[in-house]
Each structure stands twice: as structure tokens, then as C-alpha cells.
mmCIF file of all heavy atoms in Angstrom:
data_model
loop_
_atom_site.group_PDB
_atom_site.id
_atom_site.type_symbol
_atom_site.label_atom_id
_atom_site.label_comp_id
_atom_site.label_asym_id
_atom_site.label_seq_id
_atom_site.Cartn_x
_atom_site.Cartn_y
_atom_site.Cartn_z
ATOM 1 N N GLY Z 24 8.255 -1.477 -11.313
ATOM 2 C CA GLY Z 24 7.221 -0.466 -11.455
ATOM 3 C C GLY Z 24 5.825 -1.064 -11.340
ATOM 4 O O GLY Z 24 5.617 -2.271 -11.533
ATOM 5 N N ARG Z 25 4.832 -0.198 -11.084
ATOM 6 C CA ARG Z 25 3.449 -0.661 -10.926
ATOM 7 C C ARG Z 25 2.919 -1.299 -12.206
ATOM 8 O O ARG Z 25 2.273 -2.358 -12.164
ATOM 9 C CB ARG Z 25 2.572 0.527 -10.511
ATOM 10 C CG ARG Z 25 1.067 0.251 -10.534
ATOM 11 C CD ARG Z 25 0.643 -0.917 -9.679
ATOM 12 N NE ARG Z 25 0.915 -0.699 -8.270
ATOM 13 C CZ ARG Z 25 0.632 -1.587 -7.309
ATOM 14 N NH1 ARG Z 25 0.110 -2.772 -7.631
ATOM 15 N NH2 ARG Z 25 0.915 -1.332 -6.057
ATOM 16 N N GLU Z 26 3.150 -0.678 -13.332
ATOM 17 C CA GLU Z 26 2.623 -1.225 -14.588
ATOM 18 C C GLU Z 26 3.218 -2.591 -14.878
ATOM 19 O O GLU Z 26 2.513 -3.536 -15.269
ATOM 20 C CB GLU Z 26 2.917 -0.249 -15.726
ATOM 21 C CG GLU Z 26 2.333 -0.693 -17.068
ATOM 22 C CD GLU Z 26 2.553 0.334 -18.163
ATOM 23 O OE1 GLU Z 26 2.994 1.465 -17.858
ATOM 24 O OE2 GLU Z 26 2.292 -0.005 -19.337
ATOM 25 N N GLU Z 27 4.525 -2.717 -14.676
ATOM 26 C CA GLU Z 27 5.195 -3.995 -14.920
ATOM 27 C C GLU Z 27 4.656 -5.070 -13.979
ATOM 28 O O GLU Z 27 4.438 -6.227 -14.391
ATOM 29 C CB GLU Z 27 6.696 -3.803 -14.731
ATOM 30 C CG GLU Z 27 7.552 -4.968 -15.198
ATOM 31 C CD GLU Z 27 9.033 -4.637 -15.119
ATOM 32 O OE1 GLU Z 27 9.407 -3.730 -14.348
ATOM 33 O OE2 GLU Z 27 9.808 -5.292 -15.832
ATOM 34 N N TRP Z 28 4.442 -4.724 -12.733
ATOM 35 C CA TRP Z 28 3.906 -5.680 -11.769
ATOM 36 C C TRP Z 28 2.486 -6.112 -12.134
ATOM 37 O O TRP Z 28 2.159 -7.298 -12.141
ATOM 38 C CB TRP Z 28 3.932 -5.080 -10.365
ATOM 39 C CG TRP Z 28 3.241 -5.938 -9.330
ATOM 40 C CD1 TRP Z 28 1.955 -5.837 -8.907
ATOM 41 C CD2 TRP Z 28 3.788 -7.069 -8.650
ATOM 42 N NE1 TRP Z 28 1.655 -6.799 -7.981
ATOM 43 C CE2 TRP Z 28 2.773 -7.580 -7.810
ATOM 44 C CE3 TRP Z 28 5.038 -7.677 -8.660
ATOM 45 C CZ2 TRP Z 28 2.976 -8.685 -6.989
ATOM 46 C CZ3 TRP Z 28 5.230 -8.779 -7.835
ATOM 47 C CH2 TRP Z 28 4.210 -9.270 -7.007
ATOM 48 N N ASP Z 29 1.634 -5.140 -12.435
ATOM 49 C CA ASP Z 29 0.243 -5.459 -12.747
ATOM 50 C C ASP Z 29 0.124 -6.293 -14.011
ATOM 51 O O ASP Z 29 -0.734 -7.183 -14.109
ATOM 52 C CB ASP Z 29 -0.571 -4.170 -12.887
ATOM 53 C CG ASP Z 29 -0.837 -3.495 -11.545
ATOM 54 O OD1 ASP Z 29 -0.647 -4.170 -10.511
ATOM 55 O OD2 ASP Z 29 -1.227 -2.320 -11.535
ATOM 56 N N ASP Z 30 0.989 -6.018 -15.004
ATOM 57 C CA ASP Z 30 0.945 -6.796 -16.240
ATOM 58 C C ASP Z 30 1.224 -8.266 -15.983
ATOM 59 O O ASP Z 30 0.595 -9.152 -16.588
ATOM 60 C CB ASP Z 30 1.964 -6.250 -17.246
ATOM 61 C CG ASP Z 30 1.514 -4.941 -17.875
ATOM 62 O OD1 ASP Z 30 0.308 -4.609 -17.739
ATOM 63 O OD2 ASP Z 30 2.355 -4.255 -18.475
ATOM 64 N N ARG Z 31 2.145 -8.558 -15.085
ATOM 65 C CA ARG Z 31 2.544 -9.947 -14.869
ATOM 66 C C ARG Z 31 1.741 -10.637 -13.773
ATOM 67 O O ARG Z 31 1.398 -11.810 -13.882
ATOM 68 C CB ARG Z 31 4.035 -10.020 -14.520
ATOM 69 C CG ARG Z 31 4.954 -9.638 -15.673
ATOM 70 C CD ARG Z 31 6.373 -10.041 -15.362
ATOM 71 N NE ARG Z 31 6.498 -11.472 -15.103
ATOM 72 C CZ ARG Z 31 7.578 -12.054 -14.604
ATOM 73 N NH1 ARG Z 31 8.633 -11.309 -14.296
ATOM 74 N NH2 ARG Z 31 7.609 -13.353 -14.396
ATOM 75 N N PHE Z 32 1.463 -9.899 -12.665
ATOM 76 C CA PHE Z 32 0.893 -10.582 -11.499
ATOM 77 C C PHE Z 32 -0.394 -9.952 -10.975
ATOM 78 O O PHE Z 32 -0.993 -10.479 -10.032
ATOM 79 C CB PHE Z 32 1.929 -10.592 -10.356
ATOM 80 C CG PHE Z 32 3.262 -11.171 -10.747
ATOM 81 C CD1 PHE Z 32 4.392 -10.358 -10.828
ATOM 82 C CD2 PHE Z 32 3.386 -12.522 -11.057
ATOM 83 C CE1 PHE Z 32 5.616 -10.885 -11.187
ATOM 84 C CE2 PHE Z 32 4.614 -13.053 -11.419
ATOM 85 C CZ PHE Z 32 5.737 -12.231 -11.490
ATOM 86 N N GLY Z 33 -0.812 -8.850 -11.549
ATOM 87 C CA GLY Z 33 -1.964 -8.135 -11.014
ATOM 88 C C GLY Z 33 -3.241 -8.939 -11.026
ATOM 89 O O GLY Z 33 -4.123 -8.726 -10.186
ATOM 90 N N GLY Z 34 -3.362 -9.871 -11.960
ATOM 91 C CA GLY Z 34 -4.599 -10.644 -12.050
ATOM 92 C C GLY Z 34 -4.622 -11.892 -11.201
ATOM 93 O O GLY Z 34 -5.648 -12.588 -11.132
ATOM 94 N N LEU Z 35 -3.487 -12.198 -10.511
ATOM 95 C CA LEU Z 35 -3.443 -13.411 -9.704
ATOM 96 C C LEU Z 35 -4.212 -13.219 -8.398
ATOM 97 O O LEU Z 35 -4.009 -12.219 -7.692
ATOM 98 C CB LEU Z 35 -2.001 -13.786 -9.372
ATOM 99 C CG LEU Z 35 -1.100 -14.217 -10.540
ATOM 100 C CD1 LEU Z 35 0.307 -14.469 -10.033
ATOM 101 C CD2 LEU Z 35 -1.658 -15.468 -11.203
ATOM 102 N N PRO Z 36 -5.088 -14.159 -8.044
ATOM 103 C CA PRO Z 36 -5.799 -14.027 -6.765
ATOM 104 C C PRO Z 36 -4.857 -14.098 -5.568
ATOM 105 O O PRO Z 36 -5.178 -13.593 -4.490
ATOM 106 C CB PRO Z 36 -6.772 -15.201 -6.782
ATOM 107 C CG PRO Z 36 -6.211 -16.180 -7.758
ATOM 108 C CD PRO Z 36 -5.507 -15.353 -8.802
ATOM 109 N N SER Z 37 -3.680 -14.717 -5.759
ATOM 110 C CA SER Z 37 -2.729 -14.851 -4.648
ATOM 111 C C SER Z 37 -1.715 -13.721 -4.598
ATOM 112 O O SER Z 37 -0.835 -13.726 -3.740
ATOM 113 C CB SER Z 37 -1.976 -16.183 -4.762
ATOM 114 O OG SER Z 37 -1.272 -16.251 -5.999
ATOM 115 N N ALA Z 38 -1.816 -12.767 -5.534
ATOM 116 C CA ALA Z 38 -0.848 -11.668 -5.542
ATOM 117 C C ALA Z 38 -1.004 -10.817 -4.283
ATOM 118 O O ALA Z 38 -2.114 -10.382 -3.967
ATOM 119 C CB ALA Z 38 -1.040 -10.813 -6.786
ATOM 120 N N PRO Z 39 0.070 -10.564 -3.556
ATOM 121 C CA PRO Z 39 -0.034 -9.810 -2.298
ATOM 122 C C PRO Z 39 -0.075 -8.305 -2.553
ATOM 123 O O PRO Z 39 0.288 -7.841 -3.636
ATOM 124 C CB PRO Z 39 1.253 -10.194 -1.575
ATOM 125 C CG PRO Z 39 2.233 -10.391 -2.691
ATOM 126 C CD PRO Z 39 1.454 -11.008 -3.829
ATOM 127 N N PRO Z 40 -0.489 -7.529 -1.553
ATOM 128 C CA PRO Z 40 -0.392 -6.069 -1.670
ATOM 129 C C PRO Z 40 1.076 -5.664 -1.748
ATOM 130 O O PRO Z 40 1.889 -6.100 -0.930
ATOM 131 C CB PRO Z 40 -1.030 -5.558 -0.370
ATOM 132 C CG PRO Z 40 -1.817 -6.709 0.165
ATOM 133 C CD PRO Z 40 -1.109 -7.940 -0.281
ATOM 134 N N VAL Z 41 1.419 -4.866 -2.744
ATOM 135 C CA VAL Z 41 2.798 -4.446 -2.925
ATOM 136 C C VAL Z 41 2.872 -2.932 -3.027
ATOM 137 O O VAL Z 41 1.902 -2.258 -3.362
ATOM 138 C CB VAL Z 41 3.431 -5.084 -4.185
ATOM 139 C CG1 VAL Z 41 3.479 -6.599 -4.058
ATOM 140 C CG2 VAL Z 41 2.695 -4.654 -5.440
ATOM 141 N N VAL Z 42 4.056 -2.414 -2.699
ATOM 142 C CA VAL Z 42 4.393 -1.011 -2.927
ATOM 143 C C VAL Z 42 5.515 -1.013 -3.957
ATOM 144 O O VAL Z 42 6.593 -1.554 -3.709
ATOM 145 C CB VAL Z 42 4.867 -0.319 -1.638
ATOM 146 C CG1 VAL Z 42 5.272 1.125 -1.924
ATOM 147 C CG2 VAL Z 42 3.787 -0.354 -0.570
ATOM 148 N N THR Z 43 5.257 -0.445 -5.110
ATOM 149 C CA THR Z 43 6.216 -0.483 -6.207
ATOM 150 C C THR Z 43 7.030 0.806 -6.253
ATOM 151 O O THR Z 43 6.798 1.750 -5.492
ATOM 152 C CB THR Z 43 5.488 -0.690 -7.536
ATOM 153 O OG1 THR Z 43 4.613 0.426 -7.757
ATOM 154 C CG2 THR Z 43 4.679 -1.984 -7.504
ATOM 155 N N SER Z 44 7.988 0.836 -7.175
ATOM 156 C CA SER Z 44 8.887 1.984 -7.270
ATOM 157 C C SER Z 44 8.134 3.276 -7.545
ATOM 158 O O SER Z 44 8.536 4.346 -7.075
ATOM 159 C CB SER Z 44 9.938 1.743 -8.357
ATOM 160 O OG SER Z 44 9.310 1.546 -9.620
ATOM 161 N N ASP Z 45 7.025 3.197 -8.322
ATOM 162 C CA ASP Z 45 6.245 4.393 -8.631
ATOM 163 C C ASP Z 45 5.646 5.029 -7.376
ATOM 164 O O ASP Z 45 5.396 6.238 -7.344
ATOM 165 C CB ASP Z 45 5.087 4.056 -9.587
ATOM 166 C CG ASP Z 45 5.509 3.184 -10.749
ATOM 167 O OD1 ASP Z 45 5.785 1.988 -10.493
ATOM 168 O OD2 ASP Z 45 5.573 3.693 -11.873
ATOM 169 N N GLU Z 46 5.409 4.191 -6.368
ATOM 170 C CA GLU Z 46 4.732 4.663 -5.162
ATOM 171 C C GLU Z 46 5.701 5.069 -4.054
ATOM 172 O O GLU Z 46 5.271 5.441 -2.965
ATOM 173 C CB GLU Z 46 3.790 3.567 -4.655
ATOM 174 C CG GLU Z 46 2.656 3.312 -5.638
ATOM 175 C CD GLU Z 46 2.054 1.914 -5.504
ATOM 176 O OE1 GLU Z 46 2.816 0.971 -5.241
ATOM 177 O OE2 GLU Z 46 0.836 1.787 -5.675
ATOM 178 N N LEU Z 47 7.004 5.001 -4.344
ATOM 179 C CA LEU Z 47 7.995 5.374 -3.345
ATOM 180 C C LEU Z 47 8.370 6.855 -3.470
ATOM 181 O O LEU Z 47 9.535 7.245 -3.394
ATOM 182 C CB LEU Z 47 9.230 4.492 -3.455
ATOM 183 C CG LEU Z 47 9.006 3.028 -3.040
ATOM 184 C CD1 LEU Z 47 10.263 2.202 -3.249
ATOM 185 C CD2 LEU Z 47 8.564 2.955 -1.581
ATOM 186 N N THR Z 48 7.353 7.665 -3.670
ATOM 187 C CA THR Z 48 7.473 9.111 -3.579
ATOM 188 C C THR Z 48 6.725 9.527 -2.323
ATOM 189 O O THR Z 48 5.868 8.784 -1.827
ATOM 190 C CB THR Z 48 6.862 9.802 -4.796
ATOM 191 O OG1 THR Z 48 5.453 9.521 -4.830
ATOM 192 C CG2 THR Z 48 7.508 9.301 -6.088
ATOM 193 N N PRO Z 49 7.018 10.701 -1.761
ATOM 194 C CA PRO Z 49 6.311 11.095 -0.533
ATOM 195 C C PRO Z 49 4.798 11.026 -0.667
ATOM 196 O O PRO Z 49 4.118 10.434 0.176
ATOM 197 C CB PRO Z 49 6.805 12.527 -0.302
ATOM 198 C CG PRO Z 49 8.173 12.548 -0.896
ATOM 199 C CD PRO Z 49 8.087 11.665 -2.114
ATOM 200 N N GLY Z 50 4.268 11.579 -1.728
ATOM 201 C CA GLY Z 50 2.822 11.548 -1.905
ATOM 202 C C GLY Z 50 2.307 10.166 -2.246
ATOM 203 O O GLY Z 50 1.257 9.742 -1.757
ATOM 204 N N GLY Z 51 3.054 9.440 -3.091
ATOM 205 C CA GLY Z 51 2.605 8.126 -3.514
ATOM 206 C C GLY Z 51 2.572 7.129 -2.371
ATOM 207 O O GLY Z 51 1.609 6.358 -2.232
ATOM 208 N N LEU Z 52 3.598 7.103 -1.542
ATOM 209 C CA LEU Z 52 3.640 6.155 -0.431
ATOM 210 C C LEU Z 52 2.570 6.486 0.598
ATOM 211 O O LEU Z 52 1.880 5.597 1.110
ATOM 212 C CB LEU Z 52 5.023 6.170 0.219
ATOM 213 C CG LEU Z 52 5.203 5.221 1.398
ATOM 214 C CD1 LEU Z 52 4.941 3.779 0.988
ATOM 215 C CD2 LEU Z 52 6.606 5.348 1.989
ATOM 216 N N ARG Z 53 2.423 7.764 0.886
ATOM 217 C CA ARG Z 53 1.414 8.161 1.868
ATOM 218 C C ARG Z 53 0.016 7.764 1.390
ATOM 219 O O ARG Z 53 -0.790 7.225 2.146
ATOM 220 C CB ARG Z 53 1.499 9.672 2.104
ATOM 221 C CG ARG Z 53 0.650 10.131 3.272
ATOM 222 C CD ARG Z 53 0.755 11.627 3.498
ATOM 223 N NE ARG Z 53 0.089 11.957 4.739
ATOM 224 C CZ ARG Z 53 0.694 12.115 5.897
ATOM 225 N NH1 ARG Z 53 1.997 11.984 5.982
ATOM 226 N NH2 ARG Z 53 0.008 12.389 6.996
ATOM 227 N N ASP Z 54 -0.252 8.024 0.117
ATOM 228 C CA ASP Z 54 -1.562 7.668 -0.431
ATOM 229 C C ASP Z 54 -1.776 6.164 -0.394
ATOM 230 O O ASP Z 54 -2.872 5.690 -0.064
ATOM 231 C CB ASP Z 54 -1.668 8.194 -1.864
ATOM 232 C CG ASP Z 54 -2.998 7.836 -2.507
ATOM 233 O OD1 ASP Z 54 -4.030 8.378 -2.054
ATOM 234 O OD2 ASP Z 54 -3.003 7.014 -3.441
ATOM 235 N N ARG Z 55 -0.728 5.399 -0.710
ATOM 236 C CA ARG Z 55 -0.851 3.931 -0.729
ATOM 237 C C ARG Z 55 -1.203 3.401 0.653
ATOM 238 O O ARG Z 55 -2.055 2.512 0.795
ATOM 239 C CB ARG Z 55 0.471 3.320 -1.201
ATOM 240 C CG ARG Z 55 0.430 1.796 -1.331
ATOM 241 C CD ARG Z 55 -0.341 1.397 -2.574
ATOM 242 N NE ARG Z 55 -0.347 -0.037 -2.757
ATOM 243 C CZ ARG Z 55 -1.299 -0.856 -2.329
ATOM 244 N NH1 ARG Z 55 -2.337 -0.362 -1.664
ATOM 245 N NH2 ARG Z 55 -1.224 -2.149 -2.564
ATOM 246 N N LEU Z 56 -0.556 3.930 1.691
ATOM 247 C CA LEU Z 56 -0.804 3.432 3.039
ATOM 248 C C LEU Z 56 -2.119 3.962 3.607
ATOM 249 O O LEU Z 56 -2.801 3.263 4.368
ATOM 250 C CB LEU Z 56 0.358 3.816 3.963
ATOM 251 C CG LEU Z 56 1.725 3.203 3.609
ATOM 252 C CD1 LEU Z 56 2.763 3.604 4.644
ATOM 253 C CD2 LEU Z 56 1.645 1.692 3.494
ATOM 254 N N GLU Z 57 -2.481 5.183 3.245
ATOM 255 C CA GLU Z 57 -3.724 5.742 3.784
ATOM 256 C C GLU Z 57 -4.962 5.111 3.172
ATOM 257 O O GLU Z 57 -6.073 5.269 3.704
ATOM 258 C CB GLU Z 57 -3.745 7.263 3.566
ATOM 259 C CG GLU Z 57 -2.789 8.016 4.496
ATOM 260 C CD GLU Z 57 -2.828 9.511 4.277
ATOM 261 O OE1 GLU Z 57 -3.319 9.949 3.207
ATOM 262 O OE2 GLU Z 57 -2.355 10.259 5.163
ATOM 263 N N ARG Z 58 -4.796 4.386 2.054
ATOM 264 C CA ARG Z 58 -5.943 3.704 1.442
ATOM 265 C C ARG Z 58 -6.239 2.353 2.091
ATOM 266 O O ARG Z 58 -7.141 1.635 1.659
ATOM 267 C CB ARG Z 58 -5.710 3.520 -0.058
ATOM 268 C CG ARG Z 58 -5.888 4.805 -0.845
ATOM 269 C CD ARG Z 58 -5.860 4.571 -2.346
ATOM 270 N NE ARG Z 58 -4.516 4.432 -2.883
ATOM 271 C CZ ARG Z 58 -4.020 3.321 -3.404
ATOM 272 N NH1 ARG Z 58 -4.745 2.208 -3.436
ATOM 273 N NH2 ARG Z 58 -2.794 3.284 -3.898
ATOM 274 N N THR Z 59 -5.494 2.017 3.145
ATOM 275 C CA THR Z 59 -5.760 0.765 3.838
ATOM 276 C C THR Z 59 -7.052 0.891 4.649
ATOM 277 O O THR Z 59 -7.385 1.979 5.129
ATOM 278 C CB THR Z 59 -4.600 0.417 4.792
ATOM 279 O OG1 THR Z 59 -4.401 1.511 5.687
ATOM 280 C CG2 THR Z 59 -3.327 0.155 4.021
ATOM 281 N N PRO Z 60 -7.775 -0.196 4.822
ATOM 282 C CA PRO Z 60 -9.033 -0.126 5.582
ATOM 283 C C PRO Z 60 -8.780 0.027 7.076
ATOM 284 O O PRO Z 60 -7.713 -0.314 7.579
ATOM 285 C CB PRO Z 60 -9.696 -1.468 5.277
ATOM 286 C CG PRO Z 60 -8.565 -2.395 4.955
ATOM 287 C CD PRO Z 60 -7.532 -1.546 4.267
ATOM 288 N N GLY Z 61 -9.769 0.524 7.791
ATOM 289 C CA GLY Z 61 -9.650 0.671 9.243
ATOM 290 C C GLY Z 61 -9.844 2.109 9.676
ATOM 291 O O GLY Z 61 -9.723 3.044 8.874
ATOM 292 N N ASP Z 62 -10.178 2.288 10.943
ATOM 293 C CA ASP Z 62 -10.492 3.608 11.483
ATOM 294 C C ASP Z 62 -9.347 4.241 12.255
ATOM 295 O O ASP Z 62 -9.526 5.293 12.874
ATOM 296 C CB ASP Z 62 -11.715 3.513 12.412
ATOM 297 C CG ASP Z 62 -12.956 3.049 11.668
ATOM 298 O OD1 ASP Z 62 -13.076 3.369 10.470
ATOM 299 O OD2 ASP Z 62 -13.784 2.359 12.291
ATOM 300 N N GLY Z 63 -8.189 3.639 12.241
ATOM 301 C CA GLY Z 63 -7.092 4.203 13.001
ATOM 302 C C GLY Z 63 -7.250 3.932 14.490
ATOM 303 O O GLY Z 63 -8.008 3.057 14.924
ATOM 304 N N LEU Z 64 -6.533 4.705 15.316
ATOM 305 C CA LEU Z 64 -6.478 4.468 16.752
ATOM 306 C C LEU Z 64 -6.899 5.715 17.518
ATOM 307 O O LEU Z 64 -6.679 6.844 17.069
ATOM 308 C CB LEU Z 64 -5.051 4.097 17.173
ATOM 309 C CG LEU Z 64 -4.409 2.885 16.485
ATOM 310 C CD1 LEU Z 64 -2.938 2.806 16.851
ATOM 311 C CD2 LEU Z 64 -5.118 1.618 16.884
ATOM 312 N N THR Z 65 -7.487 5.494 18.677
ATOM 313 C CA THR Z 65 -7.710 6.607 19.592
ATOM 314 C C THR Z 65 -6.370 7.009 20.195
ATOM 315 O O THR Z 65 -5.375 6.279 20.098
ATOM 316 C CB THR Z 65 -8.673 6.218 20.714
ATOM 317 O OG1 THR Z 65 -8.043 5.212 21.537
ATOM 318 C CG2 THR Z 65 -9.986 5.668 20.156
ATOM 319 N N GLY Z 66 -6.338 8.159 20.853
ATOM 320 C CA GLY Z 66 -5.103 8.600 21.487
ATOM 321 C C GLY Z 66 -4.620 7.616 22.526
ATOM 322 O O GLY Z 66 -3.423 7.318 22.618
ATOM 323 N N GLU Z 67 -5.537 7.085 23.322
ATOM 324 C CA GLU Z 67 -5.160 6.124 24.360
ATOM 325 C C GLU Z 67 -4.647 4.829 23.750
ATOM 326 O O GLU Z 67 -3.660 4.245 24.222
ATOM 327 C CB GLU Z 67 -6.360 5.843 25.260
ATOM 328 C CG GLU Z 67 -6.049 4.930 26.437
ATOM 329 C CD GLU Z 67 -7.249 4.739 27.354
ATOM 330 O OE1 GLU Z 67 -8.172 5.572 27.289
ATOM 331 O OE2 GLU Z 67 -7.235 3.767 28.118
ATOM 332 N N GLU Z 68 -5.296 4.368 22.671
ATOM 333 C CA GLU Z 68 -4.844 3.144 22.005
ATOM 334 C C GLU Z 68 -3.463 3.340 21.400
ATOM 335 O O GLU Z 68 -2.605 2.453 21.483
ATOM 336 C CB GLU Z 68 -5.841 2.742 20.928
ATOM 337 C CG GLU Z 68 -7.149 2.186 21.461
ATOM 338 C CD GLU Z 68 -8.162 1.932 20.362
ATOM 339 O OE1 GLU Z 68 -8.108 2.659 19.331
ATOM 340 O OE2 GLU Z 68 -8.999 1.034 20.522
ATOM 341 N N PHE Z 69 -3.252 4.499 20.789
ATOM 342 C CA PHE Z 69 -1.941 4.747 20.188
ATOM 343 C C PHE Z 69 -0.845 4.738 21.243
ATOM 344 O O PHE Z 69 0.217 4.131 21.049
ATOM 345 C CB PHE Z 69 -1.937 6.073 19.428
ATOM 346 C CG PHE Z 69 -0.570 6.446 18.915
ATOM 347 C CD1 PHE Z 69 -0.070 5.868 17.769
ATOM 348 C CD2 PHE Z 69 0.227 7.347 19.614
ATOM 349 C CE1 PHE Z 69 1.204 6.183 17.306
ATOM 350 C CE2 PHE Z 69 1.495 7.667 19.164
ATOM 351 C CZ PHE Z 69 1.978 7.083 18.000
ATOM 352 N N ARG Z 70 -1.088 5.406 22.372
ATOM 353 C CA ARG Z 70 -0.065 5.453 23.422
ATOM 354 C C ARG Z 70 0.227 4.063 23.968
ATOM 355 O O ARG Z 70 1.382 3.731 24.251
ATOM 356 C CB ARG Z 70 -0.513 6.397 24.534
ATOM 357 C CG ARG Z 70 -0.445 7.872 24.153
ATOM 358 C CD ARG Z 70 -0.690 8.764 25.358
ATOM 359 N NE ARG Z 70 -2.055 8.660 25.855
ATOM 360 C CZ ARG Z 70 -3.074 9.376 25.400
ATOM 361 N NH1 ARG Z 70 -2.884 10.256 24.427
ATOM 362 N NH2 ARG Z 70 -4.287 9.239 25.918
ATOM 363 N N ALA Z 71 -0.813 3.232 24.106
ATOM 364 C CA ALA Z 71 -0.599 1.876 24.609
ATOM 365 C C ALA Z 71 0.203 1.040 23.614
ATOM 366 O O ALA Z 71 1.135 0.316 23.983
ATOM 367 C CB ALA Z 71 -1.939 1.212 24.914
#
């Protein structure tokens, strides 16, 4: 779970981005991935 992960490893500078069990819901996973930085792709870039 997210709380368990953050309690043990959340403060480590080397801790990687993780998706925990709490975020494996349709809304939670979508929100987690949509919070990533970047502007996405144009239609032409996506097709390529």
C-alpha cells in the first residue's frame, strides 16, 4: 500500500516512482499516470 511504502521508503532520495495497490483502481491509476510531466504527443507524433 501507499502508506506502507511511504513510511519505509518515501523519504529516500533514491526511492523510485511507484504505483502501489491503492492506486490500482481505474481512477487512481489514471490519475497517477496523468500527473507525469510533459505535453503529450501531436497526432502525427502519436501515429509515428
Side-chain angles (χ1 to χ4, degrees):
R25 170 57 63 180
E26 183 176 350
E27 191 174 22
W28 173 265
D29 287 345
D30 285 346
R31 292 193 58 191
F32 306 112
L35 293 177
S37 59
V41 297
V42 177
T43 62
S44 60
D45 314 71
E46 294 156 323
L47 291 177
T48 63
L52 180 59
R53 190 180 189 97
D54 179 68
R55 183 75 177 94
L56 296 183
E57 287 180 342
R58 285 189 280 113
T59 56
D62 298 328
L64 303 171
T65 66
E67 184 177 341
E68 288 174 331
F69 174 79
R70 287 189 293 273

